[in-house]
Amino acid sequence: MSDQQLWTAVDDYLVSALLPPDPALDDALRRATDAGLPEIAVAPNQGRLLNLIARVRGARRVLEIGTLGGYSTIWLARALPQDGRVVTLEFDPRHAAVARENIAAAGLAGVVEVLVGPALETLPTLTGPFDVVFVDADKDNNPAYFEWAMRLTAPGSVIIIDNVVRGGRVADPDDTSPAVVGTRRMHELIRAESRVAATAVQTVGEKGHDGFTLVYREA
Ligand code: SAH
Ligand code: DHB
Ligand code: MG
């Protein structure tokens, strides 16, 4: 058995052991695959983690950068009270269309707003503060996304950045691809930012070896 097969088998076990069946989320993944979207949504147990972080925070307003087919969006939207709001930013109109269909089918059309366009153009149109920000788009822009997340949050807010390990590439000094450099530069900004406390955790699972960075705004 390869490492990847083992990680997938354990994810299958953990999801079947702890997460109830979820037709709306299964349908969302199926629609995304049928529409030809890349299969890079967070895994179910990771989506559940986002949902729990938002609930622990008591979040009412969530910002997501990188919607894809709305899978993580649905997990986050379900964490909110009835008058809660998710704003999710997506560059690709085809992805946004699939996401809107999935969000509506999950009964969350009244909670989620999908804004289409490059995030660096839609972020300046937003008004904070958001309680949770999930950064999961083009990784080369992670430094700018972190700076925007700081502008659009308040003390007590949580910022989560996905895919910060990339099979270990983040720690390989010979890897100078824009996505890896962007994530390293973002970590430098986080380290230099006196208003936050942060950590990062590497993960293995059905989506391979990766990780996320968790930032808490103290001030
Ligand atoms: N959060 C999703 C996965 C997002 S995949 C989930 O876990 O379910 C990354 C998404 O970011 C893709 O849909 C891609 O089109 C989008 N994206 C890439 N560059 C972007 C940009 N500059 N602005 C906004 N979205 C972008
Ligand atoms: C990629 C993007 C993601 O958000 C992810 O979770 C996995 C992979 C990618 O661009 O390859
Ligand atoms: Mg991701």
Side-chain angles (χ1 to χ4, degrees):
M1 197 190 266
S2 70
D3 285 347
Q4 182 57 63
Q5 285 169 325
L6 177 62
W7 302 339
T8 300
V10 173
D11 258 3
D12 289 346
Y13 159 73
L14 294 172
V15 168
S16 65
L18 292 174
L19 274 62
D22 205 318
L25 285 169
D26 293 345
D27 288 351
L29 286 183
R30 193 169 320 108
R31 273 192 213 93
T33 306
D34 289 351
L37 271 50
E39 296 186 15
I40 56 175
V42 293
N45 44 349
Q46 296 171 332
R48 184 61 154 172
L49 178 62
L50 293 172
N51 174 275
L52 293 178
I53 290 170
R55 288 163 69 180
V56 168
R57 172 62 190 85
R60 308 181 77 83
R61 298 193 72 210
V62 172
L63 170 63
E64 177 177 68
I65 307 177
T67 316
L68 192 64
Y71 183 79
S72 54
T73 319
I74 291 170
W75 275 114
L76 287 163
R78 284 177 172 177
L80 306 187
Q82 275 199 334
D83 61 346
R85 198 98 189 119
V86 179
V87 178
T88 183
L89 312 182
E90 175 53 53
F91 168 76
D92 189 324
R94 286 173 46 251
H95 297 188
V98 174
R100 286 192 177 117
E101 193 184 341
N102 281 334
I103 290 158
L108 294 163
V111 179
V112 180
E113 187 179 5
V114 184
L115 296 184
V116 182
L120 290 177
E121 289 179 19
T122 49
L123 281 162
T125 71
L126 301 179
T127 307
F130 292 91
D131 307 305
V132 172
V133 180
F134 179 48
V135 179
D136 192 20
D138 47 330
K139 317 305 177 190
D140 10 342
N141 280 319
N142 273 346
Y145 294 151
F146 174 69
E147 286 176 334
W148 273 107
M150 289 302 294
R151 281 184 208 121
L152 292 170
T153 52
S157 297
V158 175
I159 304 164
I160 307 141
I161 305 99
D162 195 25
N163 309 117
V164 300
V165 172
R166 294 298 192 111
R169 287 164 53 199
V170 74
D172 175 2
D174 294 330
D175 193 324
T176 53
S177 61
V180 167
V181 170
T183 294
R184 275 192 213 123
R185 177 77 193 124
M186 174 192 73
H187 284 149
E188 289 167 18
L189 295 178
I190 293 171
R191 174 63 188 261
E193 173 54 73
S194 61
R195 293 171 291 174
V196 306
T199 190
V201 173
Q202 56 183 331
T203 54
V204 294
E206 68 169 74
K207 302 289 175 171
H209 173 208
D210 214 319
F212 61 90
T213 298
L214 182 66
V215 181
Y216 175 71
R217 248 193 100 158
E218 298 177 319

